[in-house]
Amino acid sequence: WSVLTDTRFGLVWTARLGLAVLLAALIPWPTTRLLQLAAGAGLIALIALIGHAGATPGPAGDIHLASDMVHLLAAGAWLGGLPALAMLLTRARGADDAAWRSLAVGVARRFSWLGIMSVAALLASGIIDSWNLLGAPRDLVTTDYGRLVLLKIGLFFVMVGVAAANRFHFTPRLPAAGALRALQRNSVAETGLGLCVLLFVGALGTLSPSGHAHRTSADVPRDAAFVHIHTSEAMAEVTIEPGHAGAANAHIRILREDFSEFPARSVEFTLDPPATGPKIARRAAHLPDGTWEVNALDLSQPGIWNVRVIIPADRGAPIVLDAPIVIEPKQ
């Protein structure tokens, strides 16, 4: 429940679930196509809020977020439309009916324009996303994240090549049977390539972009548990020493994006255990060096705890920074 109500991920997940239910309810009603389109677009675009773009602060973050939403919508329009196009072309080829062939010709020509607009949007937004997520061009070959991006770019240009052949070679030859067959075959091939791209995108979501690598503002003791928490409002570095079950102390640094001290009036610190057990909730003490401290923590068990740093705001909702932290078995 805390994830659903206290984190951006939970709120966005809930909103997307509501849009998915709405879309499922509207599908049987063809007259609601525009509302279906709006619900589908929202379902896709909201993913950007819980991705890397959603954690980029400032005006640059707003541009990155808008670019990521455009990227998602363009990919959804192009890749999402390909299976339907392939099914329509298959039906038109199997039907000995001039009306079906005429429909297939009209749809193929409209889809070719949709493909051109989607490719242009993907290319422009992809450049903006790469600028924000990669530290330098060399990261494309020197980091795992960059190599996956490079593979994704390669598959994208293969798809563009297939789409260009469809647009400039086969579509003008419609409704010839050979052109219809080639378009249907190429649509299936593009769909397969698109699925591979989505697999790479899923893998990218599990990696930290090289452009988002963060240095720590202080040395972390070898036996400590440490986590860096980054949101668009503030950052927190939490060090629990020693980082194993038993008695421990927590040191917290609240920072701006440029690693300067964030002016917090007070800090609430909570730790949720990995299984059954008491939750720890304490108010941190402000030290002269600008850090915050919570002493005499009783870490009852090892495992993945959830740490939450809450910074009350003068106006509006408090800033909540939360993340998992690993507590080792008692030594």
Side-chain angles (χ1 to χ4, degrees), residues 21-257:
V21 171
L22 175 63
L23 185 58
L26 292 175
I27 283 176
W29 308 94
T31 56
T32 63
R33 265 179 264 180
L34 288 179
L35 192 54
Q36 293 176 34
L37 182 63
L43 186 62
I44 294 172
L46 284 178
I47 298 173
L49 290 172
I50 51 176
H52 297 304
T56 307
D62 296 336
I63 295 172
H64 189 192
L65 183 61
S67 169
D68 209 29
M69 287 183 171
V70 169
H71 201 78
L72 289 162
L73 290 170
W78 186 18
L79 301 183
L82 279 170
L85 177 66
M87 288 189 288
L88 175 65
L89 294 174
T90 301
R91 178 69 181 271
R93 283 187 58 206
D96 188 15
D97 187 340
W100 267 104
R101 288 182 176 268
S102 176
L103 175 64
V105 170
V107 169
R109 287 174 177 163
R110 290 199 302 272
F111 191 85
S112 69
W113 284 109
L114 174 66
I116 290 172
M117 291 187 291
S118 296
V119 167
L122 286 167
L123 190 58
S125 58
I127 291 172
I128 294 173
D129 287 352
S130 297
W131 178 270
N132 282 280
L133 296 175
L134 296 174
R138 67 176 180 272
D139 291 349
L140 288 170
V141 293
T142 59
T143 66
D144 291 339
Y145 188 91
R147 285 188 285 269
L148 274 178
V149 169
L150 196 60
L151 285 171
K152 178 190 169 188
I153 292 172
L155 281 177
F156 169 74
F157 280 110
V158 172
M159 292 182 67
V160 169
V162 176
N166 290 345
R167 173 68 179 87
F168 298 109
H169 184 68
F170 296 116
T171 301
R173 298 186 178 189
L174 292 172
L180 199 62
R181 181 172 60 254
L183 279 174
Q184 185 258 340
R185 181 188 63 238
N186 286 355
S187 297
V188 173
E190 279 187 88
T191 301
L193 290 169
L195 288 173
C196 292
V197 169
L198 293 180
L199 288 175
F200 285 136
V201 171
L204 285 170
T206 68
L207 300 177
S208 177
S210 57
H212 280 198
H214 298 292
R215 60 183 173 87
T216 60
S217 60
D219 292 333
V220 179
R222 296 188 61 178
D223 65 339
F226 175 82
V227 64
H228 173 96
I229 313 173
H230 190 157
T231 70
S232 59
E233 295 93 352
M235 300 189 300
E237 292 179 351
V238 179
T239 305
I240 298 179
E241 186 181 5
H244 55 73
N249 300 323
H251 301 275
I252 309 155
R253 299 185 71 90
I254 310 297
L255 306 166
R256 292 191 177 98
E257 176 70 16

